[in-house]
Amino acid sequence: MKHTINPSRRRFFAQTGVGLLAYAGMPAWLHAMEGMGEMPKMTPKKASANFHPDVELDLICKPSSVSILPGQPTRVQQYFAKLIKGPAHTLTEIPGSYLGPIIRFEKGQKIRINLRSELDEPTITHWHGLHVPAEMDGHPLYAIDKGQTFVYEFEMLNRASMNIYHPHPHNTTAKQVYHGLAGAILVNDDEERRLELPGGEYEVPIVIQDRLFDTNNQLQYVRQMHDRMMGFYGDRILVNGRPNFQLDVASRAYRFRILNGSTARIYKLAWDDNSPVTVIGTDGGLLETPVNKPYVMLAPGERLDVWADFSGRKVGSQLVLRSRSFSGVLPGMAERMMTGRHGGDDQQHGGGGHRMGMGGMHGSALPVGSDYPILTVRVTKSVSDSPTLPNKLSTIKHYTLGDTANPNKPVPIGISEGPMKMVLNGRPYAYNDILPSERIPFNTVQLMEIFHAHGGSGGHGGNQTKAQSMQGMPHGGDKASESGGPKMGGMGMMGGMKHDGDDKAQGEGGHRMGMGMRHGNDSGEGDHKMGGMGGGGMGMMMSMAHPIHLHGQYFQILSRTIGMGAGDDYATVKDGFIEGGWKDTVLVMPGESVKIIKPFQDFKGLFMYHCHNLEHEDMGMMRDFSVE
Ligand SMILES: [Cu+2]
């Protein structure tokens, strides 16, 4: 196999002190940035004669077009599926949507999926949340070209849950998902069936995405470095591929299967009448008991199972599911500029002038963390009968430290961020570049810690700061420091921004960054947890929230620890996390350290872990665990 790192390129990026704007002005570099190492090519898997599927389907990804907005149809990329064998309810089309059909599987089924590509670029499909063999997981190693077919064969080991299928090719995951390639997988099992939860028309999949359209109704995507660093944000919310989504309901209980299919946008879901959100499940299926929340945070890749009870509501009444205001998920300056919150609370004010000033960043008319509607529910029919919410939903075996192979040495997942450097454990993604800490003994349960590894977060002292903070990692940080810190870091970037415009916000940004540099040098060293502090901590200039996704089996959240000084920002999100169930994606806020316990059973091989801000993933914020 080919060695896949390009050391000279990496050194080049690490050692040149280029600023963001200089970078943005050189489109050729953008292209170079897209390849942090290359992937070897594997021969696509074929059907095996001794695998006898209960369900078989063809899945084709190809260019297509759909009508989303009034006027011209929108060019998209889309999954189409055809059932070859199995229950008729396996596939449910979403009429008029670019989303792939909903695929319904049953625990224990043997499944064969023939993925065929008609795209002009490599692609491969990953089954987000499913516990399948490494070679069936859609690792970018297995990307196929136009006209090729990859045959997946696996047994459904998952409990009842909502999962996702989406592309996972090297460096282009975000772009393909953005252009339409995604769909929901619903797994059913006996434990769930016994509850007789709302089904049929009363079980509603809700895939939330944001998109940006040009005046011809065509999708616009990343055009500059900033869109990658912060993630790409559209100004229009689509639910199941439709704008202004309305759902007509009867006055009874429904089951909403909600999935955040956005590439970067984080939502804070709440009902507009302030009634609690009743959550019955998360990524990995049903909770033990229902949980009532004032709001729920939902990051890209995360799912929610919500009991939405409209019984007692009058015909003609409406209820709106909104994303409520919050802060702290983007770097302070970017958030202020993108949300228009500098100097006031007028969140709708996010004036184009301010945003445009930021190096031509187009900003969003729908700021992250502002308050906006997701969908409207209209009660159109009165019924007297409604199912009741079960008190007990499922049984979950809770892991404790005593179950783990490494109770005192958590496997580190260190997040580092900076211009051109979105990495995990100090290294951008590269195939066949496994750190000692990334080698996981087969059939073990592991304690893992996700934290912000950057001390000064890209300040000019970043190199030293980072090396030291990586040494502070529980183990396995030895090689990480070799990759070098982001020497150009925040200075070049912020300097560039500061000079690019003259509005107030930028003046403020520049000033804040100046403080950030000092902070980074003074106190960013030694303790990796210091790095992520939000609020006034200016070492945080680059710090942002990251939804970290681990392939393979679901995990459990053991603890969340927030650094001192996280303050007001954290207070706007802290009541929206649900920790008691199985997860495969966890939102890690700036300054936060999250301990999880995850089993690595049944299958050896490479299982990725990455940021599910898909722009970050494609920048290299992705690594492999090698289960061996
Ligand atoms: Cu990220």
Side-chain angles (χ1 to χ4, degrees):
M1 259 172 229
K2 228 175 357 175
H3 196 59
T4 54
I5 311 170
N6 182 337
S8 61
R9 178 190 286 167
R10 197 167 63 200
R11 208 174 307 120
F12 174 76
F13 279 119
Q15 291 179 355
T16 48
V18 292
L20 171 65
L21 292 173
Y23 184 86
M26 296 183 176
W29 290 29
L30 261 177
H31 185 69
M33 183 63 199
E34 291 189 358
M36 284 291 188
E38 294 114 41
M39 275 284 167
K41 268 220 185 291
M42 305 291 280
T43 311
K45 293 248 178 251
K46 297 206 180 336
S48 60
N50 51 7
F51 183 89
H52 305 288
D54 304 304
V55 185
E56 179 170 0
L57 47 101
D58 287 345
L59 191 64
I60 298 128
C61 41
K62 61 179 184 186
S64 178
S65 81
V66 291
S67 283
I68 301 172
L69 304 176
Q72 283 195 45
T74 303
R75 288 187 299 277
V76 295
Q77 296 174 335
Q78 192 170 0
Y79 281 114
F80 295 89
K82 190 174 137 211
L83 188 64
I84 308 292
K85 182 187 178 188
H89 68 247
T90 302
L91 297 178
T92 308
E93 303 287 339
I94 305 176
S97 178
Y98 56 78
L99 290 172
I102 295 155
I103 306 179
R104 201 176 274 274
F105 289 130
E106 179 74 23
K107 184 177 181 179
Q109 275 176 337
K110 287 201 162 76
I111 294 155
R112 177 183 286 153
I113 301 170
N114 309 302
L115 175 75
R116 192 172 85 238
S117 172
E118 293 182 13
L119 302 180
D120 291 324
E121 58 191 75
T123 194
I124 191 70
T125 297
H126 165 57
W127 321 101
H128 178 129
L130 297 189
H131 177 39
V132 299
E135 61 273 23
M136 297 296 159
D137 192 48
H139 193 283
L141 185 59
Y142 296 102
I144 55 173
D145 290 323
K146 190 173 190 172
Q148 289 187 309
T149 298
F150 186 102
V151 181
Y152 296 87
E153 290 171 334
F154 55 84
E155 183 179 339
M156 182 55 68
L157 299 177
N158 287 61
R159 69 198 295 254
S161 49
M162 183 189 209
N163 301 283
I164 315 166
Y165 61 105
H166 69 72
H168 219 305
H170 195 41
N171 299 321
T172 51
T173 293
K175 184 168 126 266
Q176 292 185 10
V177 170
Y178 182 79
H179 286 92
L181 290 170
I185 297 172
L186 294 175
V187 180
N188 299 123
D189 67 8
D190 288 337
E191 184 184 44
E192 175 197 47
R193 207 162 7 248
R194 272 196 291 272
L195 297 173
E196 299 185 337
L197 296 168
E201 64 180 296
Y202 307 117
E203 181 184 24
V204 185
I206 292 170
V207 179
I208 307 172
Q209 298 175 304
D210 59 332
R211 295 292 184 265
L212 185 68
F213 295 88
D214 68 14
T215 50
N216 295 317
N217 289 351
Q218 300 311 307
L219 291 168
Q220 292 190 285
Y221 191 52
V222 167
R223 284 156 303 175
Q224 47 204 310
M225 196 57 195
H226 190 275
D227 293 338
R228 289 179 189 277
M229 285 170 49
M230 301 300 146
F232 185 78
Y233 301 96
D235 61 0
R236 200 180 266 275
I237 298 300
L238 305 180
V239 171
N240 298 344
R242 316 301 309 167
N244 309 315
F245 190 82
Q246 293 204 346
L247 183 71
D248 292 349
V249 301
S251 58
R252 53 159 285 155
Y254 280 69
R255 186 179 182 192
F256 281 7
R257 312 296 300 268
I258 305 176
L259 148 60
N260 183 348
S262 312
T263 64
R265 186 176 287 270
I266 297 166
Y267 303 95
K268 177 180 174 176
L269 300 177
W271 295 112
D272 70 332
D273 70 349
N274 296 320
S275 56
V277 181
T278 303
V279 179
I280 61 173
T282 52
D283 305 349
L286 293 166
L287 299 171
E288 288 182 292
T289 55
V291 173
N292 281 319
K293 289 279 184 183
Y295 59 85
V296 186
M297 301 305 297
L298 194 68
E302 287 188 305
R303 287 86 77 199
L304 274 181
D305 202 339
V306 169
W307 182 271
D309 194 352
F310 310 111
S311 55
R313 292 188 184 265
K314 290 197 169 60
V315 169
S317 64
Q318 289 196 347
L319 199 60
V320 179
L321 184 68
R322 301 186 68 87
S323 186
R324 293 294 199 189
S325 353
F326 61 96
S327 55
V329 305
L330 290 177
M333 176 180 166
E335 190 164 72
R336 275 169 187 80
M337 303 194 68
M338 291 181 77
T339 60
R341 264 186 287 139
H342 47 276
D345 286 325
D346 182 5
Q347 294 174 13
Q348 303 308 320
H349 173 65
H354 293 299
R355 296 196 309 269
M356 291 309 291
M358 196 162 172
M361 168 176 104
H362 61 77
S364 172
L366 192 69
V368 176
S370 62
D371 188 327
Y372 52 85
I374 303 288
L375 62 87
T376 302
V377 174
R378 298 188 305 192
V379 181
T380 56
K381 195 165 104 183
S382 179
V383 295
S384 53
D385 213 27
S386 177
T388 48
L389 176 62
N391 294 320
K392 167 84 177 165
L393 296 165
S394 76
T395 302
I396 292 176
K397 177 199 177 296
H398 290 277
Y399 285 123
T400 64
L401 282 180
D403 297 317
T404 66
N406 58 337
N408 302 310
K409 278 175 65 172
V411 174
I413 300 180
I415 299 168
S416 301
E417 58 217 333
M420 296 189 289
K421 192 165 181 72
M422 292 285 179
V423 300
L424 293 175
N425 287 336
R427 298 170 87 87
Y429 184 80
Y431 176 67
N432 215 1
D433 178 41
I434 310 292
L435 295 167
S437 64
E438 291 169 333
R439 297 189 185 280
I440 307 288
F442 176 58
N443 266 341
T444 57
V445 176
Q446 296 283 326
L447 175 67
M448 317 185 96
E449 183 175 16
I450 312 170
F451 57 91
H452 294 264
H454 52 302
S457 109
H460 58 65
N463 204 13
Q464 187 187 15
T465 300
K466 176 149 189 187
Q468 292 193 0
S469 70
M470 294 307 276
Q471 280 164 16
M473 283 164 41
H475 67 125
D478 50 342
K479 276 177 93 176
S481 57
E482 291 171 16
S483 64
K487 287 181 183 168
M488 72 313 173
M491 186 60 123
M493 166 191 145
M494 300 315 292
M497 287 185 174
K498 193 177 175 188
H499 292 300
D500 188 65
D502 55 6
D503 66 49
K504 271 187 184 170
Q506 279 171 4
E508 182 193 350
H511 176 59
R512 291 166 60 88
M513 188 54 194
M515 291 173 61
M517 306 300 288
R518 277 206 308 279
H519 251 261
N521 290 337
D522 291 347
S523 60
E525 299 174 2
D527 179 359
H528 65 249
K529 285 174 189 159
M530 296 300 288
M533 294 200 321
M538 274 332 303
M540 302 329 319
M541 194 55 224
M542 275 304 299
S543 197
M544 54 188 292
H546 300 272
I548 301 298
H549 170 52
L550 283 77
H551 290 212
Q553 280 163 291
Y554 298 130
F555 55 78
Q556 292 175 1
I557 295 172
L558 183 67
S559 65
R560 285 178 177 271
T561 309
I562 185 76
M564 289 183 305
D568 296 347
D569 287 337
Y570 196 69
T572 66
V573 301
K574 69 178 174 57
D575 295 328
F577 302 120
I578 296 160
E579 328 258 80
W582 290 103
K583 295 284 291 170
D584 58 44
T585 306
V586 60
L587 181 61
V588 182
M589 293 294 292
E592 202 171 36
S593 160
V594 180
K595 284 191 176 152
I596 63 172
I597 299 182
K598 177 176 158 70
F600 290 84
Q601 294 154 340
D602 304 314
F603 307 119
K604 294 183 180 179
L606 294 181
F607 290 92
M608 290 183 290
Y609 65 103
H610 60 85
C611 184
H612 219 279
N613 176 317
L614 296 180
E615 284 79 27
H616 289 179
E617 175 192 324
D618 286 345
M619 284 180 78
M621 197 176 252
M622 177 166 84
R623 301 282 306 164
D624 284 315
F625 286 120
S626 174
V627 182
E628 48 198 42

